[in-house]
Amino acid sequence: QTGEQLASALPLPEPFRVPLPVPPVARPVAPGRYLITQRVAEVEILPGVRTPVLGYDGIFPGPTIESRRGQAIVVRHRNELPVPTAVHLHGGHTPPEHDGWPLDLVLPVGDRSDRTGHHGMTGDTSAGERDYAYPMDQRAATLWYHDHRMDFTGPAVYRGLAGFHLVRDDVEDALPLPGGERELPLMICDRSFAADGTFAYPGIDRAMRSVPGVEAEWTEGVLGDVVLVNGAPWPEHEVDAARHRLRILNASGARRYRLALTVPGGPDLPMTQIGSDGGLLAAPVVHDAIEVAPGERFDVVVDFSAVPVGTGVTMTNTLGTGRTRDVLRFRVARAAADDSFVPAVLSEVEPPVVPAGAPLRRFDFTRGARHTDWRINGRRFDPHVDEAVSRLGEVEVWRFVSDVHHPVHVHLDPFRVLRRGARGPGPFDGGWKDTVDVRPGEVVDVAVRFTDHRGRYVMHCHNLEHEDMAMMATVRTV
Ligand code: C2O
Ligand code: CU
């Protein structure tokens, strides 16, 4: 990433001193029913400093929801925050009224103000609470949920509204993959801190009420100077000398990472990729490093028995500058038995088939004329305009064309990457994807196919500043 980083106004801690937190798993209030209260809370992120977060259940990351394929759940969100919200399950195969359409707001409890007429647009607004129903009719995968409110997704996620949602199924459970404490969700994001300990976000409208966008110098995307993993700055985690499964999520607004596992005086530890955004790959892929754009997930297995007990294995970000080159450190603490392994065949993922005559749609991701203006096909997001109307069950080729980096995300169903320009898919494009890293000047073709749910969805750039500044479009499924 080339842009400037927003410098924190507080002294930053030494890396690898605080333990890695693992977000608690949400407990259902009744079978298949969850309640999450969105509220402001003060948490200690930098040692000795209080930082207010907008938190699902007042924590950041929010509680991890674990669901099973085929077992529908309902998550009731109660909004005790001072601002409206909208909850999106990223990667969820979700009916439209539960997908967190950016104008389907959950108003703060007790807020009686009239929210219609937000840019002259209205949605299905709920007062105080909303039930999100998820069929969970989808493969096991690492999903995440986060705020998706019109114009303010960037600051809302920056201030804490993000959590994991892990879908499990029998196919995956039957594999001998590392589990229990050896399965770690890792939410990686960058943040900066103001002198008073608050998250520093250069939004134009700090109260997050009406004016979208960020100050002129940050419109390419806001980059922080502190790397948080599960909400802790450059944490350390003790591991057994054994295989571990790392579910890596880039929850940053704009920062891309190239992650490697460095070992003092030795070669980097390889990462065996077993899964992507939409669950298990067909077969494992070994990487020296992985590139992760905002919104993407990589499920990898690392064998810490390959280094001596006592070794510190550092996850580094070779795209970072200064402090953002470090991410976290694993300390290999003890020898341990390990009967896990990565099988040569992981799951059934057929190669993408594009029938002759499949529709081709082109989406141009470009900067607009004004600095607070990002566009798809020359247009700013307008919920009344359907940019694409797609038939359920039909394969279409979508062509993403970019000026600068744009991680493109499509709601409802995952897609397959067909090619990058004249070449085939890149090394990080395998399996089912819902977010694809489109690099400057690139043309990326993907095969999409929507199923089951008819209605109105969005596709957008997952650089959250670009998204808030209108780089989003409506997709209608019919
Ligand atoms: Cu992760 Cu439309 O969002
Ligand atoms: Cu973008």
Side-chain angles (χ1 to χ4, degrees):
Q1 198 87 24
T2 45
E4 279 292 294
Q5 291 168 182
L6 190 62
S8 288
L10 283 174
L12 299 180
E14 288 295 304
F16 320 129
R17 297 289 162 86
V18 297
L20 173 75
V22 176
V25 174
R27 297 244 299 269
V29 289
R33 297 196 71 97
Y34 294 85
L35 171 65
I36 289 180
T37 303
Q38 307 170 356
R39 58 188 178 85
V40 177
E42 287 209 331
V43 300
E44 184 175 328
I45 296 174
L46 302 179
V49 175
R50 309 299 298 172
T51 298
V53 299
L54 310 186
Y56 293 118
D57 280 349
I59 57 174
F60 166 58
T64 298
I65 294 180
E66 292 203 9
S67 64
R68 284 202 78 79
R69 178 175 194 163
Q71 294 183 10
I73 64 166
V74 174
V75 183
R76 173 167 297 176
H77 277 269
R78 179 179 166 83
N79 182 0
E80 295 185 357
L81 296 169
V83 290
T85 58
V87 183
H88 173 57
L89 176 58
H90 181 130
H93 184 57
T94 307
E97 64 275 27
H98 299 288
D99 195 50
W101 171 257
L103 290 155
D104 288 352
L105 302 178
V106 188
L107 298 185
V109 170
D111 183 341
R112 295 279 168 269
S113 62
D114 178 17
R115 298 279 173 169
T116 59
H118 181 75
H119 297 257
M121 305 175 222
T122 51
D124 170 23
T125 294
S126 356
E129 292 184 346
R130 187 181 179 106
D131 283 353
Y132 291 90
Y134 302 119
M136 304 323 307
D137 181 13
Q138 58 185 103
R139 314 173 79 218
T142 305
L143 313 185
W144 61 302
Y145 63 102
H146 62 78
D147 197 62
H148 214 300
R149 174 190 166 206
M150 180 78 176
D151 295 342
F152 293 99
T153 294
V157 173
Y158 197 95
R159 296 196 163 97
L161 289 176
F164 278 103
H165 181 136
L166 309 179
V167 190
R168 301 187 184 277
D169 67 15
D170 298 344
V171 175
E172 191 180 282
D173 286 354
L175 299 178
L177 297 170
E181 294 198 331
R182 295 182 186 168
E183 180 195 340
L184 290 168
L186 300 175
M187 179 189 287
I188 302 174
C189 60
D190 60 335
R191 297 290 184 265
S192 289
F193 293 84
D196 60 1
T198 57
F199 285 129
Y201 187 83
I204 294 169
D205 180 353
R206 300 292 161 105
M208 297 166 62
R209 291 226 170 76
S210 56
V211 187
V214 290
E215 291 166 3
E217 57 193 302
W218 304 105
T219 56
E220 291 268 347
V222 175
L223 300 177
D225 60 350
V226 177
V227 179
L228 302 180
V229 186
N230 295 346
W234 303 290
E236 186 183 59
H237 188 63
E238 282 198 352
V239 290
D240 291 344
R243 285 180 199 81
H244 283 66
R245 175 178 184 180
L246 311 179
R247 296 178 181 256
I248 295 168
L249 157 67
N250 181 356
S252 307
R255 184 181 290 279
R256 299 168 67 256
Y257 299 81
R258 185 177 171 88
L259 301 172
L261 292 170
T262 65
V263 176
D268 289 358
L269 269 190
M271 288 177 266
T272 302
Q273 188 189 354
I274 57 168
S276 181
D277 303 336
L280 291 172
L281 304 179
V285 179
V286 180
H287 299 287
D288 296 331
I290 51 169
E291 285 186 21
V292 196
E296 285 188 301
R297 284 87 72 213
F298 282 82
D299 203 335
V300 302
V301 172
V302 176
D303 187 359
F304 290 107
S305 74
V307 296
V309 168
T311 305
V313 177
T314 307
M315 182 180 279
T316 57
N317 166 32
T318 59
L319 298 180
T321 52
R323 303 288 305 270
T324 58
R325 287 185 73 84
D326 288 326
V327 178
L328 86 152
R329 177 166 293 166
F330 295 101
R331 170 75 49 196
V332 183
R334 57 195 90 75
D338 183 8
D339 54 11
S340 74
F341 66 97
V342 178
V345 175
L346 292 166
S347 72
E348 224 178 284
V349 181
E350 284 121 45
V353 177
V354 179
L360 172 73
R361 295 180 199 278
R362 175 177 167 135
F363 299 88
D364 275 76
F365 290 77
T366 55
R367 170 154 243 169
R370 287 181 305 124
H371 72 266
T372 52
D373 189 8
W374 291 90
R375 299 174 174 218
I376 297 176
N377 289 344
R379 284 181 284 277
R380 296 170 53 80
F381 177 56
D382 178 346
H384 303 298
V385 175
D386 295 338
E387 192 64 44
V389 178
S390 295
R391 296 191 158 280
L392 293 179
E394 224 172 68
V395 176
E396 301 186 351
V397 177
W398 285 15
R399 175 163 291 171
F400 304 137
V401 183
S402 69
D403 52 0
V404 296
H405 268 114
H406 298 292
V408 176
H409 172 48
V410 180
H411 286 211
L412 182 58
D413 275 299
F415 52 77
R416 305 294 298 279
V417 178
L418 298 170
R419 61 192 81 87
R420 286 181 181 266
R423 283 175 302 177
F428 311 112
D429 294 332
W432 289 102
K433 297 286 296 168
D434 59 42
T435 307
V436 61
D437 184 24
V438 186
R439 294 170 299 188
E442 235 179 357
V443 179
V444 175
D445 287 352
V446 305
V448 301
R449 180 170 162 274
F450 297 108
T451 56
D452 300 324
H453 304 299
R454 227 174 290 273
R456 193 172 58 164
Y457 292 90
V458 288
M459 62 96 75
H460 58 89
C461 179
H462 219 288
N463 175 316
L464 299 182
E465 282 69 51
H466 298 186
E467 175 184 344
D468 283 343
M469 290 182 277
M471 191 170 252
M472 181 153 66
T474 304
V475 177
R476 185 176 293 278
T477 55
V478 295

